[in-house]
Amino acid sequence: MTSPRRSHWDDVYTTKPADTVSWFQDDPTPSLDMIAQTGLSTDDPIVDIGGGASVLIDRLLDRGHSAVTVLDIADAGLAVARKRLGERAALVSWIAQDVTAWQPPKDAFSIWHDRAVFHFLVEEADRVAYVRALDRGVSVGGYVILAPFALSGPERCSGLPVRRYSADMLQAELGPAYHLIDQQVQTHVTPTGNHQNFIWCLFRKTPTSAAAEP
């Protein structure tokens, strides 16, 4: 059975051009800069959570990243990206799944990137499930890039309520096993000209987290 959450996002991607939604950006420089800040190589595995139709994947392939995965609850969004990439879509692993129900391979990723999903998880149980998946999927020494709406950001997006964050709030969600390396507030200009503030945080998973896992 299709969940209301999946139905919402499939409907968005089947009724609106990808470059008209409020979160569209044709230049994902904030993501690319923070990924580069990790210092990891283009062979290190990276997963983009809620990537949907984002052009970030195009830019990562342009830069030579060879182990890229995109997860999104809406297969319709992933289909837009696959069509745009053409033959290059075969270079990407595509996963159509709700991240809160996902059990990624353990230690599979060196970078976990999310500019799309976390602020929509207004229920604590969903955030706990999300962090459980993140903690399983990110290798020790790996990096987590979270970019939800900042405290000065919008209260709703795509007709849905959101939860806004400071760096301290994100740190509390991830727990002490994740060390905050950098934080930046970025103002995104939507296709209609509205301004939305995001808080970008880069965390590194420390060895103590591995010891805490069952």
Side-chain angles (χ1 to χ4, degrees):
M1 178 181 295
T2 301
S3 69
R5 184 181 293 171
R6 182 186 299 272
S7 295
H8 172 85
W9 292 110
D10 275 334
D11 182 62
V12 167
Y13 284 112
T14 54
T15 58
K16 298 180 179 178
D19 60 356
T20 65
V21 295
S22 63
W23 55 93
F24 172 76
Q25 54 177 2
D26 59 2
D27 178 12
T29 293
S31 297
L32 295 171
D33 285 350
M34 203 157 263
I35 290 169
Q37 192 176 341
T38 66
L40 296 179
S41 80
T42 53
D43 295 327
D44 287 303
I46 177 171
V47 60
D48 185 21
I49 303 299
S54 169
V55 300
L56 173 62
I57 197 68
D58 307 51
R59 305 297 180 260
L60 291 174
L61 293 176
D62 292 344
R63 294 184 173 207
H65 284 269
S66 59
V68 288
T69 298
V70 181
L71 177 145
D72 199 285
I73 193 172
D75 191 48
L78 299 178
V80 173
R82 287 194 296 263
K83 182 178 180 180
R84 185 182 65 238
L85 285 167
E87 292 183 354
R88 292 206 300 168
L91 302 175
V92 179
S93 296
W94 306 94
I95 301 173
Q97 187 166 356
D98 185 338
V99 65
T100 63
W102 187 38
Q103 186 169 348
K106 188 169 171 38
D107 302 331
F109 302 105
S110 298
I111 302 177
W112 177 287
H113 173 276
D114 177 3
R115 176 186 172 264
V117 175
F118 198 67
H119 50 215
F120 284 111
L121 304 181
V122 296
E123 300 295 333
E124 182 179 6
D126 283 336
R127 296 195 299 276
V128 169
Y130 178 103
V131 173
R132 184 184 304 122
L134 178 155
D135 198 48
R136 177 178 173 82
V138 177
S139 58
V140 174
Y143 294 86
V144 176
I145 298 169
L146 294 179
F149 287 127
L151 294 177
S152 55
E155 297 180 350
R156 300 181 69 84
C157 180
S158 191
L160 301 175
V162 299
R163 180 177 169 87
R164 299 178 295 176
Y165 287 92
S166 65
D168 288 344
M169 292 170 67
L170 288 173
Q171 179 73 78
E173 295 286 351
L174 291 181
Y178 291 83
H179 174 65
L180 178 64
I181 295 173
D182 192 16
Q183 59 173 302
Q184 304 170 23
V185 173
Q186 177 244 347
T187 300
H188 166 65
V189 181
T190 72
T192 57
N194 292 324
H195 289 197
Q196 297 179 333
N197 286 343
F198 287 72
I199 177 75
W200 286 79
C201 289
L202 175 63
F203 296 89
R204 189 168 197 190
K205 186 175 183 179
T206 66
T208 55
S209 60
E213 291 178 356

